């Protein structure tokens, strides 16, 4: 059974940093691209960043480019999102999601971790 | 960036109703249109991928199609468990984008 478990969320001051983790199990982690998607309170879904299975390529939304870094440790089946220079508008639930088998959609999602940027 | 215009933003329907939600991309996309369902406080769940392929385990009352530039999610007979918010998602080009969501409420 595929499981994705995010952790690392919390309250952080504007300008601060935070690292999110997503522990994966139930599939061959290194074979699949992984993505972070966020959802601000009461709002819709926003794609944040994607990393290929081997970690060699990364992609970012303009809104986080230069402030967030996606990475993965395939030996630990864990995905990361390093967030710095955080802003109030980064407040959201952050989900990690697994790429589908044959198509680039998200077939499994974690339960999400809440990041709150506030004084 | 490809903007995804989803309509309606909300609708009220009764159990047994046929429901249609439309998503129109700002640019033509050849492939890579998917639909998700999200219930309050939960992670999204994929229903349909690649326009019309039903994800394993999803009831057959859900279907997806394309007509011209518009993509459609149809629920043939709304069930109590279908009251949720639905999102379209394009993975044709980066940045991947989502529609703004359609909230399906009980009439």
């Amino acid at each position: 059974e595929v499981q994705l478990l995010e952790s690392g969320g919390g309250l952080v001051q504007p300008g601060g940093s935070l690292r999110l983790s997503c522990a994966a199990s139930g599939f061959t982690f290194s074979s699949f691209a992984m993505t972070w998607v966020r959802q601000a309170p009461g709002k819709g879904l926003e794609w944040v960043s994607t990393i290929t299975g081997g970690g060699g390529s990364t992609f970012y939304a303009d809104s986080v480019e230069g402030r967030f870094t996606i990475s993965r440790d395939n030996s630990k089946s864990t995905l990361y999102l390093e967030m710095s220079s955080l802003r109030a508008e980064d407040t959201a639930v952050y989900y990690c999601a697994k790429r589908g088998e044959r198509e680039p959609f998200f077939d499994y999602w974690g339960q999400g971790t809440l990041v709150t940027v506030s004084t | 960036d490809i903007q995804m215009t989803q309509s309606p933003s909300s609708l009220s329907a009764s159990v047994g109703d046929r429901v249609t939600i439309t998503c129109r991309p700002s640019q033509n996309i050849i492939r890579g249109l998917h639909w998700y369902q999200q219930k309050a406080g939960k992670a999204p769940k994929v229903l349909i991928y690649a326009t019309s392929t039903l994800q394993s385990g999803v009831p057959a009352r859900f279907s997806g199609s394309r007509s011209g530039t518009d993509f459609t999610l149809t629920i043939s007979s709304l069930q109590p468990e279908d009251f949720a918010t639905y999102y379209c998602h394009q993975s044709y080009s980066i940045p991947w984008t989502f529609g703004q969501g359609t909230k399906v409420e009980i009439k």
Side-chain angles (χ1 to χ4, degrees), chain B residues 78-91:
Chain B
L78 198 66
Q79 297 302 299
E81 60 267 31
D82 301 337
F83 292 95
T85 301
Y86 295 83
Y87 294 93
C88 61
H89 159 227
Q90 70 81 18
S91 62

Side-chain angles (χ1 to χ4, degrees), chain A residues 45-69:
Chain A
L45 302 170
E46 180 188 14
W47 171 77
V48 173
S49 182
T50 294
I51 185 168
T52 52
S57 295
T58 57
F59 308 89
Y60 298 93
D62 286 348
S63 58
V64 307
E65 179 89 57
R67 300 187 299 122
F68 289 13
T69 302

Side-chain angles (χ1 to χ4, degrees), chain A:
Chain A
E1 179 194 5
V2 171
Q3 289 192 328
L4 300 171
L5 185 61
E6 300 97 336
S7 60
L11 175 64
V12 60
Q13 291 189 341
S17 300
L18 209 57
R19 187 176 86 156
L20 306 183
S21 300
C22 170
S25 61
F27 64 102
T28 305
F29 183 69
S30 60
S31 295
F32 294 91
M34 296 293 294
T35 293
W36 290 97
V37 175
R38 69 184 181 183
Q39 186 170 37
K43 302 298 184 182
L45 302 170
E46 180 188 14
W47 171 77
V48 173
S49 182
T50 294
I51 185 168
T52 52
S57 295
T58 57
F59 308 89
Y60 298 93
D62 286 348
S63 58
V64 307
E65 179 89 57
R67 300 187 299 122
F68 289 13
T69 302
I70 191 171
S71 63
R72 63 193 297 159
D73 185 337
N74 286 343
S75 68
K76 296 181 179 179
S77 295
T78 302
L79 174 73
Y80 302 100
L81 186 68
E82 194 78 47
M83 304 184 294
S84 63
S85 302
L86 283 161
R87 307 165 180 165
E89 54 265 35
D90 296 318
T91 294
V93 174
Y94 285 73
Y95 296 101
C96 64
K98 170 188 168 290
R99 186 197 191 277
E101 294 277 345
R102 299 177 199 83
E103 296 280 341
F105 66 101
F106 308 126
D107 61 354
Y108 291 94
W109 298 65
Q111 86 290 349
T113 187
L114 176 62
V115 173
T116 303
V117 184
S118 175
T119 56

